[in-house]
């Protein structure tokens, strides 16, 4: 059983599948003519930082930030010292509103990942300056397999699904054994239509507490 709850085993299996071999070829082709983000050694950071057995919360983003120095393999997260992107700013505002404390200017969410928050992007790579440029390459299949694995092997996980894109993964989640919190995406275009005031971070902690799990310290 322990062998099954291991990202290495999962990743090794996926890398041998036809869709992944094609996906890798497409990303490599793009890397000849474009800068691809994040750097190769950081593409799987979410898995390095959050072992399967440690997962408590799953947050699904879209694709990595597409400007130099931003993306480092965690959804919504940017490297320390990089200006906060608008969606992350709105996430921070919501956390400040819910808990009453001040968030820092650092957008590095590694602290969350190390506490069991799987920060999973739908696409794990992107070309510089070209949002959604790797959409349809096969990453969505990969992300679906990740969600299916978490769904089948674990229980009591809190899935935060923000926006229609993330909510497409709801069909892979058994709501009788997991918890799904849905609202709009935190981007400036949709934040006012549900995300603002959603209470998701406190709600997630309340769910964890009800299961006797350690809550997430959301403060950065």
């Amino acid at each position: 059983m322990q062998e099954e709850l291991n990202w290495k085993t999962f990743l090794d299996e996926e890398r041998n599948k036809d869709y992944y071999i094609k996906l890798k070829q497409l990303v490599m082709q793009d890397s000849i003519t474009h800068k691809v983000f994040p750097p190769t050694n950081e593409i799987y950071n979410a898995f390095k930082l959050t072992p399967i057995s440690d997962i408590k919360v799953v947050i699904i983003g879209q694709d990595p930030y597409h400007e130099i120095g931003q993306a480092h393999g965690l959804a919504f997260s940017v490297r320390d010292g990089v200006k906060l992107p608008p969606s992350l700013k709105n996430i921070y505002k919501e956390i400040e509103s819910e808990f009453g404390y001040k968030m820092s200017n650092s957008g590095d969410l590694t602290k969350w990942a190390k506490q069991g928050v799987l920060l999973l992007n739908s696409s794990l790579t992107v070309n510089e300056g070209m949002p959604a440029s790797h959409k349809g390459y096969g990453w969505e299949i990969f992300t679906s397999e990740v969600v299916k694995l978490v769904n089948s092997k674990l229980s009591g996980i809190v899935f935060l699904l923000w926006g229609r894109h993330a909510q497409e993964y709801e069909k892979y989640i058994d709501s009788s054994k997991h918890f799904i919190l849905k609202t709009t995406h935190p981007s400036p275009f949709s934040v006012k239509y549900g995300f603002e005031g959603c209470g998701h971070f406190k709600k997630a902690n309340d769910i964890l507490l009800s299961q006797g799990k350690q809550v997430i310290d959301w403060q950065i």
Side-chain angles (χ1 to χ4, degrees):
M1 183 66 176
Q2 196 54 42
E3 181 63 14
E4 290 177 20
L5 291 180
N6 183 306
W7 285 130
K8 185 183 182 307
T9 306
F10 167 78
L11 291 170
D12 286 348
E13 285 178 5
E14 293 307 304
R15 283 171 177 147
N16 284 318
K17 293 181 180 177
D18 289 345
Y19 86 86
Y20 189 95
I21 293 165
K22 182 186 173 191
L23 158 64
K24 188 177 178 183
Q25 288 170 346
L26 290 169
V27 173
M28 285 176 72
Q29 282 170 10
D30 272 8
S31 69
I32 296 167
T33 51
H34 300 82
K35 278 198 176 80
V36 172
F37 299 135
T40 305
N41 65 328
E42 294 182 325
I43 291 172
Y44 297 98
N45 260 358
F47 306 97
K48 293 175 189 171
L49 291 166
T50 314
I52 298 178
S53 54
D54 290 357
I55 296 172
K56 300 174 185 172
V57 177
V58 177
I59 298 176
I60 300 178
Q62 294 188 20
D63 56 353
Y65 297 116
H66 52 84
E67 301 301 338
I68 292 173
Q70 289 182 307
H72 63 127
L74 301 175
F76 292 103
S77 181
V78 290
R79 298 176 199 281
D80 199 19
V82 173
K83 183 182 175 185
L84 296 181
S87 291
L88 187 54
K89 264 190 191 171
N90 287 330
I91 288 170
Y92 278 18
K93 280 182 192 171
E94 178 59 28
I95 292 170
E96 287 178 347
S97 168
E98 290 182 34
F99 294 97
Y101 47 57
K102 183 74 179 157
M103 300 291 276
S104 76
N105 292 321
S106 172
D108 185 346
L109 305 181
T110 298
K111 177 183 172 183
W112 294 1
K114 288 182 173 177
Q115 293 179 82
V117 181
L118 182 64
L119 295 163
L120 179 66
N121 271 323
S122 181
S123 289
L124 268 55
T125 54
V126 70
N127 292 341
E128 179 183 1
M130 299 170 65
S133 47
H134 291 186
K135 184 177 170 64
Y137 278 18
W139 281 126
E140 294 85 358
I141 301 171
F142 176 84
T143 304
S144 299
E145 291 302 319
V146 173
V147 173
K148 288 177 192 174
L149 182 75
V150 172
N151 175 68
S152 65
K153 299 298 181 188
L154 304 176
S155 61
I157 304 303
V158 184
F159 288 86
L160 302 182
L161 305 181
W162 301 332
R164 280 177 297 182
H165 192 86
Q167 288 160 19
E168 288 172 9
Y169 293 91
E170 185 177 3
K171 60 180 173 280
Y172 305 120
I173 304 164
D174 181 352
S175 59
S176 70
K177 59 186 282 203
H178 298 291
F179 302 87
I180 300 169
L181 300 179
K182 294 189 290 185
T183 190
T184 61
H185 194 274
S187 83
F189 303 104
S190 54
V191 66
K192 298 278 187 191
Y193 300 102
F195 186 86
E196 192 178 88
C198 67
H200 276 191
F201 301 94
K202 260 197 166 170
K203 286 174 183 173
N205 276 354
D206 287 345
I207 291 167
L208 296 177
L209 263 181
S210 73
Q211 300 178 79
K213 295 179 182 178
Q214 183 84 29
V215 298
I216 306 298
D217 176 7
W218 297 105
Q219 190 167 22
I220 299 291

